[in-house]
Amino acid sequence: MNTAAGNQSTAGTHTEHENHPWTISVADHPQRTESDQYKASRALMLKLVDTTSDWTFAPAPYQDHHGGGVWVKDTNGWLCLFLPLGIEWSAQFCADPAKVDQVRTCAARVVAAFPDTLPGYVEFGYEDGERLLNTPIQTAEQVSEWTDSIFNASVPLPAGTHSGVLPTAAGYHHYPKPIVDIDHFRFDDFSLFVEDSNGLSVAVVPVAPRGSGDGRVRVLAAHPSSPYAKHLVPPSGGKRAETTGHTEALAADAEGAVLPADDALAQQAFRRQQPQLA
């Protein structure tokens, strides 16, 4: 008997189970006005995906996922690659410009390897690509524009793939990737994960730009036993209104996830930057 071969049959295997469940806000975006950058990048995204015959997440109609995709063009046409981090619209207000700028430089290197990309954008009427790639991100306004640009709000997904709710959630191991990503681009002095009075974890993000004086936060995820989990369950019992663009929350749903500045979790989230909020 070949002992080495016999060992290979069990080497590298393990079992996994989940005993730390979460209730997670995955379907609704807070209501917002679509920026000019978002409108332009969405229009380009739809034109680019229409050129492909092998898009993994077909068929249309598509919503745009703020998932950190970057469309590049090679000799065979257009394809969408993924950057390490995607910035959800609701997470931009805790985004550190210096960390988002690292994503920009990564995108610039990727695009540089595909020289037909930027001229291809221009052919489709999108002229902001070169400027965005070559401009260091240093301000909240630049973070906002990057968030809605073709280099972030650029992944075409059907409504179900984008924001569908299953009987049991399919996660990114334990926490979904959009929340994991926030922990890598947030300001170091903002606490994404906070704890309720029972010591159960809740994920929150600011509702307004840094330095605005607005201390409210939006609940993104919570342990289902936490009283804050109720903020994530819409009155419709899980059914959400969908559009071919953004998936918009009903006003009651969107406001229900916002905690006032004097809430204990909001206080925890901003504790290390309180002087800036005063």
Side-chain angles (χ1 to χ4, degrees):
M1 175 180 176
N2 187 323
T3 303
N7 289 341
Q8 287 178 359
S9 65
T10 57
T13 63
H14 64 281
T15 61
E16 292 185 354
H17 67 278
E18 183 56 80
N19 55 10
H20 188 70
W22 281 75
T23 295
I24 301 165
S25 177
V26 294
D28 295 336
H29 288 300
Q31 291 185 341
R32 71 247 192 187
T33 301
E34 294 180 348
S35 67
D36 290 340
Q37 182 58 240
Y38 167 75
K39 293 176 183 176
S41 64
R42 174 173 168 75
L44 176 60
M45 178 199 77
L46 293 176
K47 292 174 183 176
L48 296 179
V49 73
D50 280 348
T51 70
T52 68
S53 59
D54 57 354
W55 177 235
T56 301
F57 303 106
Y62 297 114
Q63 298 178 352
D64 65 294
H65 171 46
H66 286 59
V70 55
W71 284 88
V72 296
K73 186 178 183 182
D74 64 9
T75 55
N76 294 315
W78 291 97
L79 68 157
C80 185
L81 307 178
F82 286 83
L83 299 172
L85 303 177
I87 305 173
E88 285 287 352
W89 187 92
S90 61
Q92 65 180 290
F93 300 130
C94 68
D96 184 338
K99 295 179 181 179
V100 178
D101 195 58
Q102 293 177 347
V103 179
R104 177 194 64 83
T105 58
C106 179
R109 292 178 62 185
V110 171
V111 172
F114 298 88
D116 292 336
T117 298
L118 292 177
Y121 288 174
V122 174
E123 289 177 6
F124 280 113
Y126 187 86
E127 300 183 351
D128 288 336
E130 185 172 3
R131 174 182 63 82
L132 288 166
L133 289 179
N134 293 334
T135 303
I137 297 174
Q138 300 173 327
T139 68
E141 290 75 17
Q142 290 171 323
V143 168
S144 179
E145 187 174 33
W146 182 268
T147 297
D148 274 348
S149 77
I150 192 61
F151 303 111
N152 185 65
S154 54
V155 184
L157 298 178
T161 304
H162 187 198
S163 57
V165 179
L166 301 174
T168 55
Y172 176 63
H173 273 266
H174 178 68
Y175 306 98
K177 186 177 186 300
I179 295 176
V180 174
D181 286 357
I182 296 170
D183 209 29
H184 293 281
F185 62 70
R186 64 174 173 80
F187 285 104
D188 290 335
D189 60 3
F190 178 81
S191 298
L192 170 66
F193 293 105
V194 293
E195 292 185 353
D196 67 13
S197 59
N198 297 316
L200 300 175
S201 296
V202 180
V204 298
V205 293
V207 301
R210 187 177 178 87
S212 66
D214 190 337
R216 295 174 299 157
V217 295
R218 185 177 303 279
V219 178
L220 292 187
H223 188 286
S225 296
S226 170
Y228 289 90
K230 69 178 183 295
H231 294 283
L232 304 175
V233 180
S236 58
K239 297 179 180 179
R240 295 163 169 88
E242 296 177 345
T243 68
T244 56
H246 285 300
T247 301
E248 297 291 357
L250 298 176
D253 293 347
E255 291 305 314
V258 174
L259 305 179
D262 60 359
D263 186 273
L265 297 197
Q267 294 288 315
Q268 285 183 54
F270 288 113
R271 182 169 294 156
R272 290 177 290 169
Q273 54 174 286
Q274 282 295 338
Q276 297 186 37
L277 291 174

